[in-house]
Amino acid sequence: GQQLNQSPQSMFIQEGEDVSMNCTSSSIFNTWLWYKQEPGEGPVLLIALYKAGELTSNGRLTAQFGITRKDSFLNISASIPSDVGIYFCAGQRTNSGYALNFGKGTSLLVTP
Amino acid sequence: NAGVTQTPKFQVLKTGQSMTLQCAQDMNHEYMSWYRQDPGMGLRLIHYSVGAGITDQGEVPNGYNVSRSTTEDFPLRLLSAAPSQTSVYFCASSYSLRNTEAFFGQGTRLTVV
């Protein structure tokens, strides 16, 4: 599958700080998705992006579909302890059987 | 709503044993898939199905079989377990191939000794 480069690998921040993470690829994707996984659980969809340049918010989360269609960004504003988890980006290309390719994840720790 | 249900949650196998991981969804989703998650590797697609009777291979299909006899169920079979198959397995479903907003089960943690 197509490798997605997700960074940073981990983040350790204080409550109230803003967080940014991103995902890049050498190939174009038609859809970008951001998931959050908590310990012992499956990933849960946070935001879905379907169009280049699209900027979408979900509460304190904002994600963007890069104009080149090769990258995506996720921002979390005013972080709280329950934001702790692993955040995954996933991309889909319609010419590859619609399979989702996942990044390796960003582990987020938030201290009160 | 149950969503996507996976059983068992935990399993220990000896090398060479076979077993079936169960996955069921009650959302009438067409598209179902199996992923494995290994530390530092993200999720990798094993097999997927676009509807009853139709399955296809993903990125890492070797050592696994699937079938889709009903819309609801998508079991994953390990034919002869190997230590390299120690992993956490996730089943996911989505409404259709184009609607990629996948719902995941809680996972099965498999250890092969």
Side-chain angles (χ1 to χ4, degrees):
Chain A
Q2 176 61 45
Q3 184 79 27
L4 295 186
N5 301 308
Q6 189 172 347
S7 65
Q9 193 174 1
S10 61
M11 301 182 76
F12 187 74
I13 62 171
Q14 282 195 316
E15 184 176 1
E17 288 184 15
D18 296 342
V19 172
S20 289
M21 60 191 78
N22 70 81
C23 212
T24 62
S25 170
S26 58
S27 297
I28 289 172
F29 284 95
N30 301 105
T31 301
W32 283 96
L33 304 167
W34 284 92
Y35 286 88
K36 179 188 178 186
Q37 185 180 27
E38 297 184 9
E41 301 289 330
V44 174
L45 182 67
L46 298 173
I47 293 179
L49 302 158
Y50 297 102
K51 215 161 61 168
E54 181 181 354
L55 186 71
T56 297
S57 293
N58 178 6
R60 292 177 296 105
L61 278 61
T62 301
Q64 183 160 25
F65 193 141
I67 293 174
T68 65
R69 295 165 65 192
K70 293 182 180 180
D71 58 6
S72 180
F73 305 87
L74 176 69
N75 296 320
I76 305 173
S77 63
S79 58
I80 58 178
S82 61
D83 289 334
V84 165
I86 302 177
Y87 291 80
F88 291 99
C89 63
Q92 186 199 47
R93 289 179 293 154
T94 53
N95 62 352
S96 69
Y98 296 91
L100 284 178
N101 297 104
F102 281 83
K104 294 184 179 180
T106 295
S107 177
L108 178 64
L109 289 174
V110 180
T111 59
Chain B
N1 288 339
V4 180
T5 303
Q6 287 183 238
T7 55
K9 285 200 164 83
F10 302 94
Q11 183 71 50
V12 178
L13 288 179
K14 292 183 180 177
T15 297
Q17 285 186 316
S18 62
M19 81 158 292
T20 299
L21 279 62
Q22 302 291 345
C23 176
Q25 53 93 6
D26 61 359
M27 297 173 281
N28 202 30
H29 284 173
E30 286 183 3
Y31 186 83
M32 297 185 73
S33 51
W34 276 101
Y35 293 85
R36 59 177 288 172
Q37 184 176 33
D38 302 295
M41 295 292 290
L43 288 93
R44 293 183 292 170
L45 182 65
I46 304 172
H47 285 284
Y48 65 96
S49 168
V50 301
I54 307 169
T55 64
D56 206 346
Q57 296 181 350
E59 180 185 356
V60 288
N62 292 342
Y64 307 96
N65 272 1
V66 292
S67 59
R68 184 99 178 268
S69 56
T70 67
T71 300
E72 293 78 20
D73 300 298
F74 190 44
L76 178 73
R77 295 184 189 84
L78 279 71
L79 307 172
S80 177
S84 61
Q85 292 179 306
T86 294
S87 187
V88 182
Y89 291 85
F90 288 100
C91 178
S93 75
S94 57
Y95 180 70
S96 69
L97 198 57
R98 287 177 174 78
N99 182 335
T100 52
E101 298 181 16
F103 294 83
F104 283 81
Q106 289 193 308
T108 295
R109 184 174 293 275
L110 175 68
T111 302
V112 183
V113 298

